[in-house]
Amino acid sequence: MKQPHVFAGNPLDRGDQQRRDEEWLQAQSQSPNSRFLPLRNLDILLDRRSDIRLGWIDAAEVRRLNITAAPLFLGISDGVSRFAIDVSELNDQAAGELVPNETRWFEEARDAAMALSLAEAGIVAQARMQIDWHARHRFCGVCGEQTHIARGGQMRLCPSCNSNHFPRTDPVIIVVVGHGDDCLLGQSRGRLSRLGWYSALAGFVDQAESIEEAVRREVREESGIEVGDVQYHSSQPWPFPSSLMIGCHAQALTTEIHHDEEEMADVRWWNRADALSALQGRHPDLKLPGPIAIAHHLIKSWAENPTAD
Ligand SMILES: [Zn+2]
């Protein structure tokens, strides 16, 4: 079995049965045995009294700091109920009590994930996605009434029209297109081009579109290249804010690039030797995303497996 990507590998039992029991949830949210992960403006509380870990707090600390946001039930590990809790509304003084000295601090989720174990990075993804979704979906999309949290955060309910609202996950295809000994990599405008990086081509799946169709359309739009066979490789939750990256390899049918000037700063073919040395950070012109990103693993898998074409 392949090792999961960063942000996958969450070990919690999400408690599908338990979270339907409001009384049980209420008791767990006050139990001294439960643990709460504070997020402030979507940054995660970390703790490095020994090695770097998630900064879980207990119910007594939630009460002491007068945190009023509803805790979102993440799941259970070793009999301990785990919740995420949004502390963005705390004033600076109260928030300061969560980070009393240099052993605790709030960290941006990407940097937190790189410092944590795979298991804890998976919990970061779930916590960040949950808190962000609830903050953005407070009102019913059907009738406009204010909704409330149900099943510990797995959904929101409208008290007026009884609609159920479930968290969204946005599918994104990301693809390394190969042609013989070359692979197609692009530099999207914005962050990648400022950093001088190339990466696999990527884009959101449209409504009523298969993964294969999304791959062919995105590659055509961004590079002008026509694609034939598409093969699924692996996937990665990407909590910025709510994507699921669907990693693929594909075969090019054409080679002449006409890249989308508006979206892409550059798209070009790089050969296997370029990719291999760039993956080790030793290429003078080609910089690739690091191992936190699925793109790194898609490029690596293509470069190291010539027979996979
Ligand atoms: Zn409604």
Side-chain angles (χ1 to χ4, degrees):
M1 211 166 79
K2 277 183 260 189
Q3 194 189 1
H5 295 297
V6 174
F7 293 125
N10 181 345
L12 298 183
D13 169 354
R14 301 192 187 207
D16 187 59
Q17 288 307 312
Q18 293 93 327
R19 64 169 65 245
R20 290 161 199 259
D21 181 344
E22 289 294 337
E23 272 179 39
W24 182 89
L25 274 177
Q26 183 66 22
Q28 292 301 305
S29 71
Q30 290 165 10
S31 163
N33 196 34
S34 297
R35 292 293 178 270
F36 301 80
L37 180 63
L39 278 77
R40 190 165 199 229
N41 301 323
L42 300 176
D43 290 347
I44 321 290
L45 187 64
L46 297 186
D47 184 307
R48 62 162 164 225
R49 272 170 296 186
S50 50
D51 45 351
I52 297 176
R53 305 290 304 268
L54 292 173
W56 299 102
I57 62 173
D58 62 16
E61 199 165 2
V62 172
R63 280 193 296 274
R64 187 176 67 76
L65 294 172
N66 201 20
I67 299 170
T68 53
L72 302 173
F73 178 59
L74 299 173
I76 306 163
S77 61
D78 301 324
V80 176
S81 293
R82 309 265 176 186
F83 295 83
I85 195 158
D86 187 0
V87 299
S88 306
E89 299 298 319
L90 286 186
N91 62 36
D92 287 347
Q93 190 192 340
E97 291 187 41
L98 285 166
V99 288
N101 54 48
E102 286 175 0
T103 63
R104 281 186 161 205
W105 74 105
F106 284 99
E107 185 64 87
E108 190 273 331
R110 232 177 299 238
D111 292 335
M114 286 195 277
L116 293 166
S117 68
L118 202 58
E120 291 202 321
I123 296 173
V124 165
Q126 186 194 6
R128 191 187 195 282
M129 278 181 169
Q130 280 268 302
I131 284 185
D132 184 67
W133 180 74
H134 285 284
R136 290 168 189 251
H137 293 83
R138 293 179 297 128
F139 295 92
C140 179
V142 179
C143 75
E145 186 63 55
Q146 194 154 1
T147 55
H148 59 76
I149 292 170
R151 292 190 203 164
Q154 200 182 44
M155 58 183 283
R156 296 185 73 90
L157 258 176
C158 176
S160 175
C161 74
N162 290 321
S163 295
N164 297 339
H165 300 280
F166 290 92
R168 56 184 279 184
T169 295
D170 303 321
V172 176
I173 60 90
I174 178 160
V175 58
V176 172
V177 177
H179 187 269
D181 211 34
D182 293 330
C183 72
L184 188 68
L185 300 176
Q187 200 171 65
S188 57
R189 294 207 179 273
R191 192 164 164 268
L192 278 188
S193 61
R194 280 199 302 279
L195 295 170
W197 288 357
Y198 284 80
S199 187
L201 301 186
F204 288 104
V205 178
D206 264 358
Q207 287 186 307
E209 189 176 50
S210 70
I211 291 170
E212 293 84 348
E213 287 170 317
V215 164
R216 293 193 183 102
R217 177 183 53 73
E218 279 292 341
V219 172
R220 188 185 305 119
E221 286 172 6
E222 292 185 356
S223 69
I225 297 293
E226 294 295 330
V227 158
D229 275 351
V230 175
Q231 274 195 323
Y232 171 75
H233 178 269
S234 57
S235 64
Q236 179 185 37
W238 191 249
F240 306 100
S242 55
S243 294
L244 175 66
M245 309 301 290
I246 301 166
C248 298
H249 289 126
Q251 286 296 307
L253 299 174
T254 61
T255 56
E256 197 175 330
I257 295 169
H258 301 283
H259 78 262
D260 174 353
E261 301 273 349
E262 208 168 291
E263 207 178 319
M264 306 299 292
D266 191 27
V267 179
R268 65 172 75 175
W269 294 105
W270 295 90
N271 68 34
R272 210 175 294 278
D274 287 328
L276 286 168
S277 67
L279 285 165
Q280 294 166 348
R282 294 204 304 240
H283 196 286
D285 306 314
L286 179 59
K287 277 195 273 183
L288 297 175
I292 190 175
I294 189 174
H296 179 95
H297 302 280
L298 291 173
I299 296 166
K300 188 164 187 274
S301 163
W302 173 83
E304 291 177 351
N305 296 287
T307 51
D309 287 356

